[in-house]
Amino acid sequence: MLIGITAAVVLLIAASNVLNRFSHPAVPPGIVNGGLAPLPETPNCVASQTDDPDRRMPPLPMGPDLKDPLRQIRTVVNSMPRTKTVTSDNQYLHVEFRSRLLGFIDDVEFLVDSNQQCIQFRSASRIGHSDFGVNRARMRAIAAAVENM
């Protein structure tokens, strides 16, 4: 019985890794018309640039370093487990977060908004429908950590 359960768990993890390796987000991350890409139709995402009140969160404050306003966010994100920086410059940051158990990928992006004097963000699960509030909780944690720096 234990061998059967172990084999099932190994098979599930292997299948998840294959799905993640070949999965592409429904709405790819990136800058679109000067802002972050729109959210996918699924509820497993949050952003500061959306009109959907159920998936909207306030943008983050602009960092004090005018040459690198994302410095504080980069420091916080790099200290979090299972992260991989995909793109990073002084205006835009794209990070992949992997879930602990099955390795599902969430794309998290930050964009300096000089007009609004803030950091816009988008956090979206790459596959699936529900994220059990993980994206919202992660963004709250990042906002709190940046505020406490």
Side-chain angles (χ1 to χ4, degrees), residues 2 6 10 21 36 45 47 56 119 126 133 143:
L2 183 58
T6 303
V10 169
R21 191 167 312 258
L36 296 171
C45 52
R56 180 167 170 63
I119 307 293
R126 205 171 267 191

Side-chain angles (χ1 to χ4, degrees), residues 4-5 7 35 39 42 59 67 70 83 87 89-90 95-96 112 118 125 139:
I5 293 172
L39 292 174
T42 55
K67 290 183 181 179
L70 293 172
T83 62
T87 305
D89 60 36
N90 293 345
V95 180
E96 292 177 350
V112 173
C118 64
S125 298
M139 292 313 303

Side-chain angles (χ1 to χ4, degrees), residues 65-82:
D65 183 348
L66 296 180
K67 290 183 181 179
D68 188 4
L70 293 172
R71 183 184 54 78
Q72 290 177 305
I73 293 171
R74 197 177 293 108
T75 298
V76 169
V77 167
N78 288 336
S79 73
M80 299 175 86
R82 297 173 307 283

Side-chain angles (χ1 to χ4, degrees), residues 23-34:
S23 70
H24 299 284
V27 179
I31 300 172
V32 177
N33 297 325

Side-chain angles (χ1 to χ4, degrees), residues 53-139:
D54 294 333
R55 300 186 300 163
R56 180 167 170 63
M57 292 180 68
L60 302 175
M62 184 84 78
D65 183 348
L66 296 180
K67 290 183 181 179
D68 188 4
L70 293 172
R71 183 184 54 78
Q72 290 177 305
I73 293 171
R74 197 177 293 108
T75 298
V76 169
V77 167
N78 288 336
S79 73
M80 299 175 86
R82 297 173 307 283
T83 62
K84 175 186 171 188
T85 299
V86 177
T87 305
S88 179
D89 60 36
N90 293 345
Q91 300 296 307
Y92 176 77
L93 174 63
H94 173 202
V95 180
E96 292 177 350
F97 283 82
R98 284 192 180 269
S99 66
R100 184 179 328 151
L101 183 58
L102 297 177
F104 293 120
I105 299 171
D106 293 341
D107 291 293
V108 181
E109 303 171 274
F110 302 90
L111 179 65
V112 173
D113 184 338
S114 298
N115 293 333
Q116 299 290 321
Q117 291 295 299
C118 64
I119 307 293
Q120 303 290 351
F121 67 84
R122 176 185 186 269
S123 182
S125 298
R126 205 171 267 191
I127 61 174
H129 186 76
S130 176
D131 68 346
F132 303 102
V134 169
N135 283 291
R136 183 174 296 277
R138 178 187 303 116
M139 292 313 303

